[in-house]
Amino acid sequence: MGENSTLVLFGARGNLAKIKLIPGLFHLDESGKLPEGMKILSIGRQKIEDDVWKAEIKEMLDVKFKKKYEKNVFDRFIARNFYHANEPEDPEAFKRLSNKLLNSGDFSKNIAFFLSVRPSDFSTIVDQLAAENLLKEDGFWKRVLIEKPFGTNLETAIELQKSISRHLAETQIYRIDHYLGKSALQNILMTRFNNAILEPLWNKNYIDHIQITNHETLGVGERTTFYDSTGALRDMIQSHLLQMLALTAMEKPASLNPDDIRKEKIKLLESINPIPINEIEKNAFRAQYSKGTSNSEGNVLGYLEELGDDKSVVETYAALKLFINNERWNGVPIYLRTAKRMHEAGTYISIKFKNKDDLVKTDKSNWLVISIQPRESTHFEIQTKTPGLDDSLMRTTRLEGLNRIDGDETIDSYETLMLDLMSGNQSRFLHIDEVKAAWSLVDPVIVEWVKDKNKVHQYPSGSGDPIESKIIFENPDQFWRKSINN
Ligand SMILES: NC(=O)c1ccc[n+]([C@@H]2O[C@H](COP(=O)([O-])OP(=O)(O)OC[C@H]3O[C@@H](n4cnc5c(N)ncnc54)[C@H](OP(=O)(O)O)[C@@H]3O)[C@@H](O)[C@H]2O)c1
């Protein structure tokens, strides 16, 4: 099954590898999805023996799967795994790596490098790999997966791209946005384009507006320093929410080939109007959570208290209004919002249809809500007549279908993306033009927000959207949905 290949995992002893990557690879092996001859070479900066590394892997799996796995599967998985020390003070570390991979005969020369390291290390590692001839595709493929974020703004993204593209062609670069590995996100395309009842309505003639929501109940937690240099707009909207928007609004791709899908996503992202600098207040809103309550944690502190700096203007709530400049969407507001410490967690896309009230006047509307997580579902709200003598009385009928049912295959987004990496499918990875378009949209807002040191709006932890966020609505009858149900 599949060709022989080698996955080289930089940052194998880091948090992401421990929680997602190594257990994900094991799960893939367990379900028979890893090519038989595939080997995994983990790289860490400390010198440890293979046995110690194998014991660490066992510990990760024991924690993740509560020791519930078969011994023969474990033995097969562990036999694929090797360790290479990449000690920073060892000038020969990459030479030894190259020897091991290219000359020992122990590893396939089809190699994917997964860089699960700090973003500041991405380009240095690519330089070092190139210097040791590890990126040249001489009869064997070489791919490099770059973790998120790709740059911290447009300028740094272009710099990183310039640096790595000295050694790599676009077809060799796999920029991750792990939301694209979620099957519920891919479902957006199928729901739109495989259903004749939806696609004819998917335009400015029938749609009033679109809301793309990502709400979390968790706060910033231990990551205060990281978060205060990032913020919700950069962390979530630049990547995950704009990708959800692209899938929701793009034109039909010529096929499901990676190039065709990415071509349409790029076109869509590039056709979004930039927010005018002098109108940021009407189009972008930010806020921070203050103290309050969380269902799972009880009384919780506010962001500024957790940070220990009451001067920070970094947002834990960000909302944007965007307009797409094309035939299909001209004039339709698209609202994106993401927030921490909300009343409930949920990632969903809500489409509000225009009211057709020729016969009976009603202020209620038809909605379609596609929920990504925690529930994977499709939810319709349609207006129907209330039974009885009064023909003018309407009410909302809710129809909900689960997109995931008992017995469906469960595959984590990172597992999907690692399989794609090994099989050479880039459709669920970001093209550099998508990354650039996304930074171009959020950068001007971030710059203005950083400049403005006025105290940021506060919302109590555990509450809904701050009331002041309504400022971005185009029409007074528009409102944030509180959940997928109302
Ligand atoms: N997609 C997402 O939503 C998402 C989520 C989480 C993380 N990430 C990204 O994933 C990456 C890793 O995150 P993390 O939380 O795992 O970070 P982490 O816990 O800090 O781990 C990074 C690891 O990289 C190792 N490392 C650094 N340079 C290396 C080199 N030259 N050779 C070998 N190992 C090296 C470090 O080793 P030492 O321990 O020896 O220093 C550390 O173990 C980051 O880029 C982060 O931004 C993305």
Side-chain angles (χ1 to χ4, degrees):
M1 183 209 332
E3 60 190 343
N4 280 351
S5 55
T6 306
L7 175 63
V8 178
L9 187 50
F10 279 84
R13 300 180 87 202
N15 201 37
L16 185 68
K18 202 182 292 176
I19 294 172
K20 291 275 182 190
L21 308 182
I22 304 274
L25 287 162
F26 177 79
H27 185 230
L28 289 172
D29 201 0
E30 194 177 34
S31 47
K33 292 198 174 67
L34 286 193
E36 221 165 277
M38 179 183 154
K39 290 184 180 169
I40 303 163
L41 181 63
S42 288
I43 307 208
R45 297 201 282 192
Q46 235 184 320
K47 196 166 171 58
I48 54 167
E49 296 305 319
D50 261 14
D51 284 354
V52 175
W53 176 236
K54 289 181 183 196
E56 282 186 23
I57 294 181
K58 183 169 184 316
E59 174 71 23
M60 294 175 206
L61 302 181
D62 285 351
V63 171
K64 182 81 178 189
F65 302 107
K66 301 187 177 66
K67 300 192 176 176
K68 285 193 195 124
Y69 50 78
E70 310 247 335
K71 183 172 178 318
N72 63 331
V73 180
F74 174 78
D75 290 345
R76 184 175 72 214
F77 182 67
I78 218 72
R80 296 177 184 274
N81 276 277
F82 303 87
Y83 183 85
H84 179 85
N86 204 21
E87 296 167 283
E89 62 279 7
D90 176 4
E92 300 291 302
F94 276 85
K95 199 173 280 313
R96 287 189 297 104
L97 175 65
S98 176
N99 256 328
K100 193 177 267 185
L101 288 170
L102 301 182
N103 303 329
S104 71
D106 292 339
F107 293 91
S108 162
K109 293 180 197 169
N110 289 319
I111 307 173
F113 298 94
F114 191 136
L115 307 192
S116 178
V117 295
R118 284 174 315 189
S120 52
D121 292 331
F122 293 154
S123 67
T124 320
I125 294 181
V126 170
D127 283 348
Q128 287 164 314
L129 292 174
E132 294 306 330
N133 206 26
L134 279 163
L135 300 178
K136 215 188 237 145
E137 296 195 295
D138 42 5
F140 297 93
W141 53 256
K142 304 285 182 294
R143 300 172 189 146
V144 176
L145 183 149
I146 311 269
E147 252 301 339
K148 173 184 177 263
F150 195 90
T152 52
N153 55 25
L154 180 61
E155 196 186 336
T156 51
I158 290 174
E159 247 170 56
L160 175 57
Q161 173 63 15
K162 208 164 145 196
S163 170
I164 63 175
S165 62
R166 286 179 296 142
H167 312 299
L168 294 163
E170 183 63 23
T171 49
Q172 293 177 277
I173 307 173
Y174 289 66
R175 300 175 196 82
I176 214 164
D177 178 333
H178 77 268
Y179 267 44
L180 291 179
K182 292 179 189 289
S183 107
L185 227 72
Q186 298 301 315
N187 177 46
I188 299 171
L189 286 189
M190 308 309 161
T191 302
R192 284 186 56 193
F193 295 119
N194 269 23
N195 288 296
I197 55 169
L198 290 179
E199 186 51 17
L201 306 181
W202 216 258
N203 58 55
K204 64 186 180 206
N205 298 329
Y206 296 97
I207 290 179
D208 177 79
H209 75 268
I210 298 176
Q211 295 180 13
I212 297 185
T213 303
N214 177 74
H215 277 170
E216 298 169 36
T217 51
L218 294 176
V220 169
E222 309 276 282
R223 300 158 74 222
T224 44
T225 314
F226 157 79
Y227 201 84
D228 208 56
S229 64
T230 308
L233 184 49
R234 199 182 252 133
D235 192 32
M236 295 299 298
I237 293 189
Q238 186 275 341
S239 49
H240 309 321
L241 270 73
L242 280 171
Q243 282 298 315
M244 283 165 66
L245 167 56
L247 291 169
T248 306
M250 68 192 250
E251 295 300 316
K252 186 176 177 177
S255 76
L256 289 180
N257 286 337
D259 284 349
D260 289 335
I261 294 180
R262 299 205 303 184
K263 200 162 88 189
E264 290 305 335
K265 275 171 48 200
I266 293 167
K267 244 199 270 170
L268 189 283
L269 289 167
E270 289 181 345
S271 64
I272 300 173
N273 291 334
I275 292 181
I277 301 282
N278 55 355
E279 288 181 17
I280 285 198
E281 278 186 7
K282 281 198 300 185
N283 295 284
F285 179 84
R286 65 174 163 174
Q288 293 169 331
Y289 60 81
S290 56
K291 67 176 189 250
T293 50
S294 136
N295 281 345
S296 56
E297 299 165 58
N299 291 338
V300 290
L301 295 177
Y303 175 66
L304 296 178
E305 295 159 290
E306 287 174 334
L307 183 67
D309 173 5
D310 63 3
K311 300 272 182 309
S312 170
V313 292
V314 170
E315 73 288 353
T316 60
Y317 178 106
L320 293 188
K321 174 173 62 191
L322 298 173
F323 288 96
I324 299 167
N325 183 15
N326 68 15
E327 247 327 275
R328 188 188 283 266
W329 295 115
N330 269 333
V332 178
I334 317 275
Y335 300 108
L336 310 182
R337 62 176 163 160
T338 182
K340 292 194 174 292
R341 285 274 187 246
M342 283 277 119
H343 59 298
E344 67 168 31
T347 304
Y348 50 96
I349 296 153
S350 317
I351 317 277
K352 185 184 176 208
F353 291 93
K354 289 185 172 169
N355 280 0
K356 286 273 163 206
D357 52 2
D358 302 349
L359 283 177
V360 179
K361 289 268 177 244
T362 168
D363 57 356
K364 298 268 170 51
S365 308
N366 300 329
W367 288 83
L368 165 66
V369 182
I370 302 174
S371 173
I372 309 294
Q373 61 189 23
R375 203 158 41 167
E376 292 177 42
S377 62
T378 307
H379 175 111
F380 274 107
E381 285 176 12
I382 57 172
Q383 300 311 308
T384 56
K385 186 181 120 47
T386 309
L389 295 178
D390 188 346
D391 280 346
S392 68
L393 222 50
M394 304 287 285
R395 68 181 178 191
T396 302
T397 296
R398 297 193 162 81
L399 314 166
E400 190 184 25
L402 291 180
N403 297 339
R404 173 171 293 283
I405 52 177
D406 282 353
D408 281 345
E409 181 179 49
T410 52
I411 176 160
D412 180 77
S413 51
Y414 271 100
E415 295 173 27
T416 303
L417 294 173
M418 286 191 286
L419 279 185
D420 285 348
L421 170 69
M422 302 316 287
S423 65
N425 180 351
Q426 288 185 303
S427 59
R428 284 181 274 243
F429 290 88
L430 305 175
H431 189 279
I432 184 60
D433 292 344
E434 293 177 79
V435 177
K436 285 197 213 163
W439 282 125
S440 305
L441 284 169
V442 301
D443 270 1
V445 180
I446 294 172
V447 168
E448 289 307 303
W449 279 359
V450 168
K451 272 197 241 158
D452 180 356
K453 301 293 181 205
N454 286 323
K455 196 163 172 55
V456 170
H457 290 284
Q458 305 286 304
Y459 59 97
S461 291
S463 64
D465 295 82
I467 190 117
E468 299 88 346
S469 63
K470 284 185 177 169
I471 189 168
I472 69 170
F473 284 127
E474 196 64 3
N475 296 316
D477 64 343
Q478 292 172 342
F479 57 90
W480 293 122
R481 285 185 72 92
K482 289 199 190 75
S483 77
I484 56 173
N485 294 314
N486 58 11

